[in-house]
Amino acid sequence: MNNTLKNKRIEKKLTQAKLAQMANISERQYRRIETGEQTPSVEVALLLAKALHTTVEKLFPLQASANAGEDKPNNKQA
């Protein structure tokens, strides 16, 4: 999962350990989330966003996929 955690953390002049502490998670778990090895729970994503004074959407932006339009219903009438 792509994220902007590292950039936001550095921008706020926080260490991985400090941000993990602020989100009440282990430094190891934080490191795995920052590197994309682990997807955070909704609760952890919200805590990280709060600690960084931003939104979950800005920390974990959705990526458009090549098949993005396939899930949308077809509004054409037969």
Side-chain angles (χ1 to χ4, degrees):
M1 168 178 264
N2 289 335
N3 64 67
T4 63
L5 280 170
K6 184 175 182 178
N7 292 338
K8 294 287 185 189
R9 177 178 60 78
I10 291 170
E11 180 182 303
K12 299 288 184 180
K13 297 181 171 94
L14 296 169
T15 64
Q16 288 181 336
K18 182 62 179 173
L19 184 51
Q21 179 185 23
M22 292 169 72
N24 200 30
I25 61 174
S26 72
E27 186 177 352
R28 180 174 184 253
Q29 182 182 6
Y30 175 79
R31 209 171 26 251
R32 291 175 56 92
I33 294 168
E34 186 179 277
T35 61
E37 295 175 52
Q38 181 178 340
T39 301
S41 67
V42 171
E43 180 181 5
V44 169
L46 288 167
L47 290 169
L48 288 167
K50 183 177 179 181
L52 292 167
H53 304 287
T54 190
T55 64
V56 171
E57 293 84 1
K58 288 183 181 175
L59 288 180
F60 303 97
L62 295 176
Q63 293 188 345
S65 69
N67 300 324
E70 291 184 11
D71 292 345
K72 295 180 182 178
N74 188 346
N75 290 332
K76 293 182 182 176
Q77 293 183 359

